[in-house]
């Protein structure tokens, strides 16, 4: 699948949304645009190539999704943005049914206008906050839940608790996969606390990141993965180990060591 070419000019500068501003910045060195929300890069879209993800953590998430059994998936994205990962999954897994949950109603309207998104029922956009959606979710409705929600540079506090992890676990079908984007600074206190939190809820937990980030050498993204079934295929993924930016995977006992000094987040 490839998207339609964008035929209208992108908006010139930031435009108001419910939670601040949104802006589209055209890439200079390759096809695609970056969506900025309140001045922070939120999503990258290549209109012609939905599998071009650009952001390393999204490539890691896509590689994690690729380890699941072949065929269509039911995917919930907590945090909509420009639906970059949803476009990639739609292209790789025809017939998938996805929902993107986004709190900003005006951003949802603009994203629908600016970008060539899959149409319902392939992708439905829901305007509500992630915690509310989780509280109302039917048990077992998703094969994958992706959390990519930020208020400025922090994940909202009510999405990193044991209660939030339990709500995600209820929403997942048996064998389902939870993927959470965590941005952290050395010595990675947030990622360690989130890993400790997930260990209390899920039988298997993994941490995926570029080696420099994982070793606490620099600021960056870490992907936390959790499931009720083994994540060993994630640890052996060639896409992760031999990507443009190779990633390291901590699995189960290694995650326990990673999170040993942290306490689960209870609220």
């Amino acid at each position: 699948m490839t998207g339609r070419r964008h035929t209208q000019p992108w908006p010139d500068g930031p435009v108001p949304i419910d939670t601040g501003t949104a802006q589209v910045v055209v890439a200079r060195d390759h096809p695609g645009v970056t969506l900025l929300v309140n001045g922070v890069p939120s999503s990258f879209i290549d209109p012609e190539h939905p599998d071009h993800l650009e952001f390393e953590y999204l490539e890691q998430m896509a590689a994690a999704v690729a380890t699941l059994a072949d065929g269509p998936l039911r995917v919930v994205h907590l945090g909509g943005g420009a639906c970059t990962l949803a476009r990639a999954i739609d292209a790789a897994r025809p017939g998938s049914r996805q929902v993107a949950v986004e709190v900003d109603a005006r951003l949802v309207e603009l994203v629908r206008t600016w970008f060539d998104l899959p149409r319902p029922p392939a992708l439905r956009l829901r305007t509500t906050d992630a915690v509310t959606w989780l509280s109302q979710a039917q048990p077992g409705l998703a094969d994958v839940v992706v959390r990519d929600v930020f208020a400025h540079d922090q994940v909202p506090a009510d999405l990193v608790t044991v209660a939030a992890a339990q709500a995600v676990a209820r929403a997942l079908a048996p064998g389902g996969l939870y993927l959470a984007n965590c941005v952290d600074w050395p010595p990675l206190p947030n990622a360690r606390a989130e890993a400790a939190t997930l260990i209390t809820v899920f039988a298997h937990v993994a941490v995926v990141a570029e080696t420099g980030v994982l070793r606490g050498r620099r600021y960056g993204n870490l992907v936390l993965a959790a499931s009720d079934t083994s994540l060993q295929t994630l640890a052996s993924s060639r896409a992760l180990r031999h990507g443009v930016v190779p990633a390291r995977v901590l699995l189960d006992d290694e995650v326990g060591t990673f999170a040993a000094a942290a306490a689960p987040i209870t609220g």
Side-chain angles (χ1 to χ4, degrees):
M1 168 188 156
T2 58
R4 298 189 305 267
R5 289 186 180 276
H6 184 76
T7 57
Q8 301 296 323
W10 302 110
D12 185 14
V15 299
I17 57 176
D18 295 340
T19 57
T21 63
Q23 181 178 0
V24 175
V25 177
V26 179
R28 296 184 178 218
D29 55 347
H30 51 69
V33 298
T34 299
L35 172 68
L36 306 183
V37 175
N38 296 321
V40 178
S42 167
S43 307
F44 177 87
I45 288 284
D46 183 336
E48 296 297 310
H49 303 98
D51 59 344
H52 180 187
L53 297 175
E54 190 69 11
F55 295 171
E56 293 169 16
Y57 81 91
L58 286 180
E59 293 179 346
Q60 293 162 3
M61 286 184 168
V65 172
T67 66
L68 299 177
D70 293 342
L73 295 170
R74 299 168 299 161
V75 185
V76 175
H77 303 263
L78 303 177
C83 299
T84 305
L85 184 60
R87 292 177 75 242
I89 291 173
D90 181 71
R93 304 264 189 155
S96 293
R97 296 292 181 261
Q98 303 186 75
V99 176
V101 179
E102 171 59 56
V103 71
D104 194 305
R106 180 56 179 156
L107 180 60
V108 168
E109 293 174 2
L110 292 174
V111 165
R112 281 182 170 137
T113 301
W114 289 344
F115 306 117
D116 181 24
L117 302 182
R119 306 302 184 200
L123 175 62
R124 301 182 188 276
L125 276 61
R126 295 287 181 259
T127 303
T128 187
D129 68 272
V131 171
T132 298
W133 187 92
L134 283 170
S135 70
Q136 299 171 352
Q138 178 182 352
L141 65 78
D143 302 306
V144 183
V145 173
V146 177
R147 190 203 74 201
D148 195 6
V149 183
F150 287 88
H152 300 290
D153 61 350
Q154 293 289 323
V155 179
D158 54 3
L159 284 175
V160 298
T161 63
V162 170
Q166 290 170 335
V168 171
R170 286 193 298 270
L172 284 170
L177 177 65
Y178 179 37
L179 298 171
N181 179 22
C182 177
V183 178
D184 212 354
W185 298 258
L188 309 179
N190 297 331
R192 296 179 195 278
E194 278 211 60
T197 301
L198 293 178
I199 288 170
T200 70
V201 177
F202 292 91
H204 301 277
V205 179
V207 179
V208 183
E210 186 271 327
T211 300
V213 173
L214 197 55
R215 290 181 176 174
R217 293 174 179 168
R218 65 178 180 86
Y219 166 88
N221 297 78
L222 302 93
V223 173
L224 306 178
S227 179
D228 63 358
T229 59
S230 173
L231 295 171
Q232 187 60 50
T233 54
L234 182 63
S236 59
S237 167
R238 284 184 56 83
L240 289 174
R241 290 185 290 111
H242 301 291
V244 175
V245 179
R248 184 181 170 198
V249 180
L250 303 182
L251 190 64
D252 292 336
D253 290 345
E254 292 176 306
V255 177
T257 300
F258 175 80
I265 304 167
T266 57

